[in-house]
């Protein structure tokens, strides 16, 4: 991971073998970003994506292992228990140009990752909500 800052925005390059979710968390720790937005594109060859099942309150996850283009990476950086909390969603295209998408748990860079992160001055905490079964934004 290499990055450069312009005002409150960062351009981040992720390298082969790096996991997007882990890297964004490490980045937020290094730069002390408590609140921000994440967007990106790039190429990966392994991902774990999920869908939150509102009945069981559990994620139904799928592991994808093939060459894929990141059509869209979107999400945010907040905080939970004093640590960066990375919430990302992703849309991925395969060699047939079919798209699979979902909540992102892990994505391994196969060529490069081009991520833009906007740091917002402030912070937002999270708290587990029993009714929903998710760590919701806390105000
Ligand atoms: Fe999600």
């Amino acid at each position: 991971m290499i990055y450069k800052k312009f005002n409150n925005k960062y351009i981040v390059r992720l390298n082969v073998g790096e996991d997007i979710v882990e890297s964004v968390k490490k980045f937020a720790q290094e730069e002390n970003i408590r609140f921000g937005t994440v967007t990106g594109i790039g190429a990966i060859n392994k991902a774990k994506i999920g869908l939150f099942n509102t009945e069981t309150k559990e994620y139904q996850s799928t592991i994808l292992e093939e060459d894929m283009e990141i059509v869209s990476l979107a999400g945010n950086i907040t905080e939970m228990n004093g640590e960066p909390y990375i919430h990302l969603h992703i849309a991925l295209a395969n060699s047939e140009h079919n798209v699979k998408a979902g909540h992102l748990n892990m994505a391994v860079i196969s060529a490069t990752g081009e991520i833009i992160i906007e740091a917002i001055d402030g912070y937002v905490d999270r708290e587990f909500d029993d009714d929903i079964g998710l760590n919701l934004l806390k105000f």
Side-chain angles (χ1 to χ4, degrees):
M1 173 168 63
I2 309 168
Y3 54 83
K4 195 171 178 182
K5 186 178 184 185
F6 300 97
N7 297 314
N8 65 326
K9 294 189 178 77
Y10 295 79
I11 175 76
V12 183
R13 188 184 96 189
L14 298 182
N15 295 320
V16 174
E18 291 182 317
D19 170 42
I20 294 174
V21 183
E22 261 178 27
S23 298
V24 172
K25 184 170 182 179
K26 188 170 164 238
F27 165 86
Q29 280 165 334
E30 282 179 14
E31 291 300 302
N32 195 29
I33 292 167
R34 304 178 73 192
F35 180 35
T37 61
V38 181
T39 59
I41 55 172
I44 66 164
N45 56 13
K46 186 172 183 181
K48 184 179 175 191
I49 59 173
L51 170 74
F52 186 72
N53 182 318
T54 54
E55 295 289 319
T56 62
K57 298 179 183 176
E58 281 175 359
Y59 278 95
Q60 293 167 223
S61 297
T62 308
I63 290 178
L64 305 170
E65 277 187 279
E66 58 184 318
D67 279 329
M68 293 168 282
E69 294 282 347
I70 301 171
V71 178
S72 175
L73 171 75
N76 55 58
I77 300 168
T78 53
E79 267 191 330
M80 191 167 173
N81 302 321
E83 268 195 50
Y85 188 101
I86 312 304
H87 187 192
L88 299 173
H89 287 192
I90 199 164
L92 297 163
N94 67 9
S95 58
E96 270 96 56
H97 312 297
N98 292 320
V99 171
K100 285 188 179 168
H103 175 93
L104 183 65
N105 293 109
M106 174 263 288
V108 181
I109 299 294
S110 59
T112 193
E114 301 181 354
I115 317 288
I116 293 174
I117 294 172
E118 179 172 6
I120 299 166
D121 191 19
Y123 69 93
V124 178
D125 203 2
R126 283 186 184 265
E127 184 174 50
F128 185 77
D129 185 293
D130 276 324
D131 292 338
I132 307 291
L134 287 169
N135 300 317
L136 300 188
L137 297 171
K138 184 184 171 188
F139 294 95

